[in-house]
């Protein structure tokens, strides 16, 4: 094979990967996950790019101790982060599929 052909193929692959990654990131920004804590007393909505869009606190909870409210908010946010990470990992894996990257390497892009 000609080295120029290999270079051109590598450049095409890089452009495809960049386009796929950009598209996946745009989709992640639109994707929302919802998590809750305390049996639904606190709900957090977050995008796949880890932007908190909304926090809902049940009026029933507002009469409790501030420490409990803070703990439930933290738990809901942490759960939303875990969900968003899972969604992001899946989207990025799909964006880099077919690129011929070794296992584990596709998550770097």
């Amino acid at each position: 094979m000609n080295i120029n052909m290999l270079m051109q193929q590598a450049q095409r692959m890089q452009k495809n990967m960049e386009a796929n990654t950009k598209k996946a990131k745009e989709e992640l920004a639109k994707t929302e996950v919802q998590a809750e804590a305390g049996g639904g007393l606190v709900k957090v909505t977050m995008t796949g790019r880890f932007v908190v869009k909304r926090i809902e606190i049940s009026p029933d909870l507002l009469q409790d101790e501030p420490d409990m409210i803070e703990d439930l908010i933290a738990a809901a946010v942490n759960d939303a982060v875990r969900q968003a990470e899972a969604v992001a990992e899946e989207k990025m894996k799909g964006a880099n599929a077919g690129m011929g990257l070794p296992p584990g390497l596709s998550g770097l892009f």
Side-chain angles (χ1 to χ4, degrees):
M1 236 190 214
N2 184 332
I3 188 73
N4 287 331
M5 287 178 62
L6 284 174
M7 292 299 292
Q8 289 174 353
Q9 183 179 5
Q11 288 174 342
R12 279 193 304 274
M13 287 176 64
Q14 181 180 6
K15 285 181 183 179
N16 286 340
M17 189 169 36
E18 287 171 357
N20 291 343
T21 300
K22 182 180 178 185
K23 181 179 176 187
K25 286 180 179 181
E26 289 169 357
E27 289 176 11
L28 284 171
K30 296 176 188 173
T31 302
E32 291 185 354
V33 297
Q34 186 172 16
E36 56 183 56
L41 292 174
V42 174
K43 296 178 183 176
V44 173
T45 303
M46 177 181 287
T47 70
R49 299 283 291 165
F50 309 104
V51 175
V52 175
K53 301 290 269 185
R54 189 171 33 262
I55 296 177
E56 299 173 44
I57 302 172
S58 169
D60 298 339
L61 183 62
L62 294 176
Q63 296 163 21
D64 284 336
E65 293 294 317
D67 289 346
M68 177 187 253
I69 296 169
E70 292 167 359
D71 289 345
L72 289 174
I73 291 171
V77 169
N78 289 333
D79 187 32
V81 167
R82 281 188 290 278
Q83 290 182 39
E85 285 174 337
V87 168
E89 183 177 329
E90 195 62 34
K91 289 259 189 220
M92 296 310 287
K93 194 181 299 181
N96 295 324
M99 298 304 293
L101 296 173
L105 188 60
S106 63
L108 299 175
F109 299 98

